[in-house]
Amino acid sequence: MPFALATEGPRRYNRRTMDQARNEDVVSLRDHPLLQRLADEQLERFASAGEVETYAAGEVIVTEGSLGDSIYLVLCGNTAVQKGGVGGRRLATLGAGEFFGEMSFVEAAPRSASVVALEPTDVFRLPNQALHRLAEDDPRAMNAVLVMIIRTLSQRLRQMNETISTVGQLSDWIAGSLV
């Protein structure tokens, strides 16, 4: 399948529209947890509003500090969420069925971390403007998507709270050992 090379700022990536990638990627969109509750016609609207981007291992998908303007659904491959640039500290690994950039839907603010492809990775990029239009056109579909985003954010927050608690316990233990 041919790819059209596009350039956006300092990064280069392969870009395909959903129509070009329909045979191989709509099934992935259908199976993506964020979109599973959508009816076929709702899924088609989401699919036509975004595009599939393909990244090679090591390529930066989003850069910390850049303006967040899209949400990304990982269709295949693995990505690293990193703080402090490409060589920075890894915060998380996200694979097929996960997403990132959801905070940019709520407010247009600088990205809080970079995301780098760890292996060949396909993501579905849905620009916030398109997402807002979809919310106006089909509030029920958007409600289903937002519920899944909130559930995922809740799980991530619970995991972070657990990590912070574990670090606090370790800190207390170390402080007690030094006395």
Side-chain angles (χ1 to χ4, degrees):
M1 180 171 289
F3 291 96
L5 192 61
T7 303
E8 178 184 282
R11 64 187 166 99
R12 296 171 61 85
Y13 54 86
N14 295 317
R15 179 180 286 185
R16 294 176 283 170
T17 65
M18 282 308 298
D19 290 336
Q20 291 169 321
R22 187 166 313 283
N23 292 338
E24 63 188 73
D25 291 328
V26 167
V27 171
S28 295
L29 281 178
R30 163 60 57 211
D31 294 336
H32 197 284
L34 194 61
L35 305 178
Q36 277 182 334
R37 293 182 172 211
L38 299 181
D40 289 341
E41 64 277 358
Q42 293 169 325
L43 181 64
E44 280 296 319
R45 268 183 270 169
F46 271 80
S48 64
E51 60 194 2
V52 174
E53 295 178 354
T54 300
Y55 294 86
E59 279 190 282
V60 177
I61 301 171
V62 299
T63 303
E64 180 179 353
S66 66
L67 182 63
D69 65 350
S70 301
I71 185 170
Y72 293 80
L73 284 63
V74 182
L75 300 177
C76 69
N78 280 298
T79 64
V81 180
Q82 299 177 169
K83 191 79 174 154
V86 175
R89 182 173 41 99
R90 184 178 298 183
L91 303 175
T93 302
L94 302 175
E98 297 185 276
F99 59 88
F100 57 91
E102 69 282 350
M103 292 188 302
S104 69
F105 177 67
V106 177
E107 70 173 333
R111 296 217 182 260
S112 61
S114 295
V115 179
V116 179
L118 295 174
E119 59 189 45
T121 299
D122 284 350
V123 295
F124 178 71
R125 185 177 71 84
L126 187 58
N128 288 343
Q129 290 177 341
L131 202 55
H132 286 282
R133 278 194 306 275
L134 289 166
E136 290 174 10
D137 295 345
D138 193 346
R140 291 183 63 150
M142 198 60 207
N143 184 49
V145 170
L146 288 174
V147 165
M148 294 307 293
I149 289 173
I150 290 167
R151 283 185 182 158
T152 301
L153 289 175
S154 177
Q155 290 171 339
R156 290 177 184 173
L157 182 58
R158 237 186 321 281
Q159 289 171 346
M160 186 59 64
N161 286 341
E162 188 174 314
T163 300
I164 290 170
S165 173
T166 302
V167 169
Q169 291 170 358
L170 179 61
S171 174
D172 291 345
W173 179 81
I174 291 172
S177 299
L178 296 175
V179 176

